[in-house]
Amino acid sequence: MSDMEFFYGKVRESTRTDVPTIEDDDDYYDWEDQQDGKMYFRVNGGILYEVTPVECSMNEYGGTMTFSQDFRFTPHIMCHWYNGGASKREVIEEAVKDLFE
């Protein structure tokens, strides 16, 4: 069933050299599922970025958001979307592109 979703995480340029070609296929998603919640995106001329979820609390339908991470020196993204129109990966990728392109 479609519903509202929420994601909050930090974004940084990745130094990893073992990330396979990022493709929209099961092999890549299976690999990414083994990365402790981290997602990888190539944007801004092919630069590899790593998105790590940050623990926080928010009602998906609005209200107060709480988190304890200091984000003064690391970019963070917050995404809130209806999952009947886009996947989590698509929404986060657009946020990373908007941040660095």
Side-chain angles (χ1 to χ4, degrees):
M1 185 165 110
S2 298
D3 204 354
M4 297 301 294
E5 289 195 39
F6 173 79
F7 175 84
Y8 181 70
K10 64 182 176 179
V11 181
R12 70 179 184 93
E13 192 172 325
S14 180
T15 58
R16 289 189 67 168
T17 58
D18 63 338
V19 176
T21 301
I22 300 170
E23 296 180 3
D24 186 17
D25 67 22
D26 290 340
D27 288 339
Y28 178 76
Y29 296 136
D30 288 344
W31 177 86
E32 195 171 59
D33 285 344
Q34 303 301 313
Q35 306 307 309
D36 297 326
K38 294 179 182 173
M39 300 174 79
Y40 295 88
F41 303 92
R42 288 198 187 277
V43 298
N44 197 17
I47 297 171
L48 182 66
Y49 291 97
E50 179 178 289
V51 177
T52 306
V54 172
E55 283 295 319
C56 64
S57 173
M58 180 179 174
N59 180 319
E60 293 173 353
Y61 299 98
T64 302
M65 179 176 153
T66 59
F67 54 94
S68 60
Q69 177 123 6
D70 181 358
F71 57 89
R72 289 177 290 177
F73 305 108
T74 303
H76 282 62
I77 57 173
M78 183 178 72
C79 304
H80 187 235
W81 72 99
Y82 179 68
N83 68 7
S87 71
K88 176 180 177 179
R89 183 163 184 74
E90 290 171 324
V91 172
I92 293 172
E93 182 174 24
E94 283 302 311
V96 173
K97 285 180 181 178
D98 288 348
L99 189 60
F100 294 107
E101 289 187 333

